[in-house]
Amino acid sequence: MLGYFIDMEDTGFQDILREFRAGREDRGRKMVERLDGLGMDITWEEVERIADGAAVGRPHIAQALIERGYVSVWQEAFDKYLGRTGPAYVERTRLEPEEAVRVLLDNGALPVMAHPLYYEREDTRKLKDLVTSLKEAGMVGLEVHYGEFSESEIDMLANIAAELDLIPCGGSDYHASGKPGEIIPGEAGPPMSTIEALREMKGVARAL
């Protein structure tokens, strides 16, 4: 779930973020331990150095594997070790989508569903039912434009967004992974009308 116009001064929201950061650190340490058990000599200190103060995630662990010469690019690290079916994968702490919508609304942010086809790709009716339930919970937008979506998928999502009166959002989801063909910022995303619709809903002045 994406949140637009988040109030970063909201202490309750920051408390939730601290809980998630602690969960991410615990998860990261466990993944490093699993890699060690697989014979890969990387340390938590290396991963923290790569993260450079940011919350540690799998991309930082993947970079440590690259620097040690165990893999060549991020995608190889995910395919072999860090992906959902990989031997070093550890499930993360997460909110259910409805909970995430509530947290963002309590903060005053605009909730938008990210990567909808990750939830359901085969059954359009099931996907629409999920999006409808989140709309009823207060979600205001749907990620329609995304680098990995086909034109037919974008059209299908745009139709769902239009039917449910959701703002069609999107982006490149760029992670600098080194994956061949990775979409870079500016190559995928929504039209400027999306930005204006979000601003209007939030009551934010139009950019000059």
Side-chain angles (χ1 to χ4, degrees), residues 40-197:
M40 276 159 277
D41 183 24
I42 67 170
T43 67
W44 179 248
E45 289 70 27
E46 287 178 83
V47 174
E48 283 191 310
R49 173 185 56 78
I50 292 167
D52 192 26
V56 170
R58 286 184 293 170
H60 304 119
I61 299 173
Q63 185 61 37
L65 290 171
I66 292 171
E67 292 185 6
R68 285 283 188 166
Y70 294 116
V71 297
S72 299
V73 294
W74 281 15
Q75 192 61 43
E76 184 182 0
F78 277 76
D79 290 344
K80 288 185 175 180
Y81 307 111
L82 305 177
R84 285 187 176 276
T85 59
Y89 180 78
V90 175
E91 188 60 60
R92 64 181 175 178
T93 303
R94 65 178 71 224
L95 292 174
E96 291 300 317
E98 292 83 358
E99 294 178 285
V101 169
R102 177 185 54 76
V103 167
L104 290 168
L105 290 174
D106 288 347
N107 173 267
L110 301 180
V112 172
M113 186 179 188
H115 309 338
L117 297 185
Y118 286 9
Y119 291 89
E120 179 56 57
R121 206 174 202 112
E122 303 301 325
D123 189 332
T124 302
R125 170 53 59 183
K126 188 180 294 186
L127 173 62
K128 185 178 177 183
D129 287 345
L130 172 60
V131 175
T132 299
S133 69
L134 293 174
K135 158 82 173 181
E136 292 171 350
M139 187 179 76
V140 304
L142 179 69
E143 186 175 63
V144 170
H145 304 277
Y146 182 57
E148 295 184 7
F149 292 166
S150 67
E151 288 188 18
S152 62
E153 288 171 336
I154 290 173
D155 288 343
M156 180 267 290
L157 291 169
N159 288 334
I160 291 177
E163 186 173 341
L164 297 177
D165 194 26
L166 293 168
I167 299 172
C169 299
S172 65
D173 196 26
Y174 180 66
H175 288 281
S177 67
K179 178 181 177 181
E182 181 180 21
I183 302 297
I184 63 174
E187 288 187 349
M192 285 302 298
S193 58
T194 290
I195 310 302
E196 297 306 327

